[in-house]
Amino acid sequence: MIMVRRVIILFTFLALSLGIYAQSDSVARKQFASGKYQDAIQLYEMLGSMSEDDAVRNKYYRLAITAKVAADLRSKADKAYKEGDMESAINYYRHLLEKNPNDPKAKKVIEEFESDDMDWNMVLESQNPTEKLNLAKTYLQKHANGVHISEATM
């Protein structure tokens, strides 16, 4: 009877451990997808250190490295964006999307940039001076901090 209890306790412990492990994996993946790279790194490293299986440990360490690269790209992109270096910022955000296609900030900035560029190209392509002026005014209203703001105010 004591042996049966020990086996039951062991299986219960293993089941709980696997459940926590699976939950942590799920949380780490959600953190990464939402752009919370530092949290993902910590969870991936923890999961890697918990495993005795080399393949599993290596998998989580590779995921942690990917999250570190993504965090570095996000940091560089955000810095370039704040400094007004849109060309560099967009390049960093595009590289970031290669690592994490779901990064919400990178997606948003690139969508805004593409919208800005599309609207400005409409101004440039217009042959009618009145229409060009109206399109430039619309551009200024829609993109108060747009990439082409200095050109639009000439």
Side-chain angles (χ1 to χ4, degrees):
M1 191 64 166
I2 293 176
M3 184 60 117
V4 172
R5 281 189 189 163
R6 286 184 181 170
V7 170
I8 291 172
I9 289 171
L10 178 62
F11 278 124
T12 303
F13 176 75
L14 286 173
L16 289 173
S17 295
L18 289 174
I20 291 170
Y21 200 80
Q23 273 186 321
S24 296
D25 178 82
S26 176
V27 170
R29 290 177 190 280
K30 287 177 185 171
Q31 296 298 321
F32 181 84
S34 67
K36 297 177 182 167
Y37 299 114
Q38 296 306 321
D39 295 339
I41 291 166
Q42 289 176 346
L43 286 167
Y44 285 141
E45 288 177 344
M46 179 198 69
L47 288 165
S49 68
M50 287 172 51
S51 178
E52 293 181 15
D53 181 342
D54 284 343
V56 172
R57 188 171 39 250
N58 288 338
K59 169 189 156 188
Y60 284 114
Y61 287 144
R62 279 193 307 276
L63 289 169
I65 289 168
T66 299
K68 287 177 184 178
V69 170
D72 185 51
L73 287 168
R74 166 68 84 73
S75 175
K76 288 177 180 177
D78 290 347
K79 182 179 183 217
Y81 185 84
K82 286 177 186 167
E83 292 174 353
D85 182 359
M86 288 305 292
E87 186 177 336
S88 294
I90 293 302
N91 285 331
Y92 284 127
Y93 285 126
R94 285 194 172 125
H95 287 305
L96 175 56
L97 287 177
E98 291 172 9
K99 298 291 178 194
N100 178 12
N102 299 313
D103 186 283
K105 184 167 186 183
K107 285 169 63 172
K108 180 179 182 240
V109 170
I110 288 174
E111 285 171 7
E112 287 173 359
F113 175 77
E114 288 172 351
S115 170
D116 180 291
D117 241 19
M118 218 166 44
D119 291 344
W120 183 246
N121 284 333
M122 287 176 59
V123 173
L124 294 178
E125 291 169 3
S126 175
Q127 299 301 313
N128 180 316
T130 304
E131 181 186 49
K132 191 177 208 101
L133 181 61
N134 288 333
L135 288 169
K137 286 178 184 177
T138 302
Y139 174 86
L140 289 169
Q141 290 169 345
K142 188 174 177 184
H143 305 284
N145 297 314
V147 176
H148 305 285
I149 201 77
S150 61
E151 299 164 73
T153 55
M154 293 180 141

